[in-house]
Amino acid sequence: MGHAPEPRFARVAALLADPTRARMLALLLAGESRTADELARGAGVTPQAATSQLAQLEDAGLIRARKQGRHKYFALADVEVAHALEALSLVAERDDVTARWRRPAYQPLKRARRCYGHLAGELGVAQLKMLLAQGHLRESAEGFVPTASGEDWLRQLGLPLPTGGGRLAYRCMDWSERQDHLAGTLATALLDHYLQRDWLRPGQEDRALRVTPAGEARLLPLLEA
């Protein structure tokens, strides 16, 4: 009797097991495209080494590349890859979670970070809680849909309701908070809105988002349930 075929995820698991490739994917999990040089700096390797690692990730279908001018930009292949990485993060952080997230190095990520283009961390969880508590979202078969008060809240915020391009709003388990935050095109539009108004600022070397003085005054009160 022959051996059963190797599970197809074995190759992907082997790629993720490399610390350099894992760091690159973690950076791309923010949802932004980055150059090979930026990913090399974030992973702590030379540009030459980064090029080899990125080629392997692209060949496996985990990332995609896009050329613009003289530069080549890399991003996660799709939202399914992002969800898979988030799920692995949840499994990896099941041990002494509370102690780990109290460490200073983890605090910025715990407070607020990007999860494939939407807001995660404490502020991401607070955002979903507020939208539900205020009755701005209601559950549906596809996740959430805005109520009349939710559409009015978006208008007051100066944000049109996203149309097309994927699921509008649904739950995503937050790997630091162990509670749901909001995902979907609405969540992406909301984070873009906060960034454009400089209420949140992204970091260069990680996914953390810093609350600006303007954000302290405008965003934090907005997210109170």
Side-chain angles (χ1 to χ4, degrees):
M1 182 183 293
H3 293 292
E6 181 182 57
R8 296 193 65 179
F9 61 74
R11 182 188 177 207
V12 174
L15 286 169
L16 298 181
D18 179 83
T20 297
R21 291 191 289 265
R23 291 189 194 102
M24 290 176 172
L25 290 170
L27 288 169
L28 293 176
L29 193 51
E32 288 186 307
S33 297
R34 294 186 181 240
T35 65
D37 284 348
E38 290 172 331
L39 291 168
R41 286 196 299 271
V45 297
T46 65
Q48 293 78 12
T51 299
S52 171
Q53 304 285 22
L54 289 167
Q56 293 180 62
L57 292 172
E58 187 176 6
D59 184 59
L62 296 177
I63 64 173
R64 54 184 168 79
R66 175 174 57 87
K67 190 141 190 195
Q68 186 170 316
R70 295 184 297 108
H71 295 289
K72 197 174 188 181
Y73 292 88
F74 297 89
L76 293 185
D78 51 40
V79 70
E80 291 182 353
V81 174
H83 286 325
L85 293 175
E86 280 289 311
L88 286 171
S89 297
L90 282 166
V91 173
E93 298 288 342
R94 282 189 300 188
D95 58 336
D96 197 8
V97 172
T98 302
R100 178 178 293 107
W101 287 106
R102 280 200 295 259
R103 297 174 190 169
Y106 281 75
Q107 284 295 304
L109 284 168
K110 177 176 171 59
R111 178 63 166 157
R113 66 182 180 276
R114 280 196 264 211
C115 175
Y116 203 59
H118 55 258
L119 180 60
E122 293 171 348
L123 295 190
V125 170
Q127 175 178 252
L128 179 56
K129 285 184 176 179
M130 177 277 294
L131 291 169
L132 293 174
Q134 298 293 335
H136 296 332
L137 294 177
R138 65 175 175 81
E139 299 271 6
S140 76
E142 294 298 314
F144 296 113
V145 293
T147 61
S149 71
E151 292 182 7
D152 185 58
W153 179 80
L154 288 171
R155 280 192 294 270
Q156 292 180 32
L157 199 60
L159 184 66
L161 188 66
T163 57
R167 294 172 67 188
L168 179 66
Y170 56 95
R171 296 178 183 273
C172 180
M173 177 63 72
D174 195 284
W175 62 275
S176 66
E177 304 311 298
R178 292 299 191 276
Q179 301 178 67
D180 293 323
H181 61 244
L182 186 67
T185 58
L186 175 58
T188 300
L190 283 167
L191 179 55
D192 287 344
H193 187 82
Y194 304 155
L195 292 168
Q196 288 166 9
R197 278 150 185 76
D198 196 36
W199 294 349
L200 294 171
R201 284 182 194 160
Q204 293 299 313
E205 303 300 332
D206 59 24
R207 293 193 286 148
L209 295 166
R210 276 70 179 182
V211 181
T212 66
E216 294 278 352
R218 298 292 303 279
L219 178 60
L220 297 190
L222 188 73
L223 299 185
E224 292 178 357

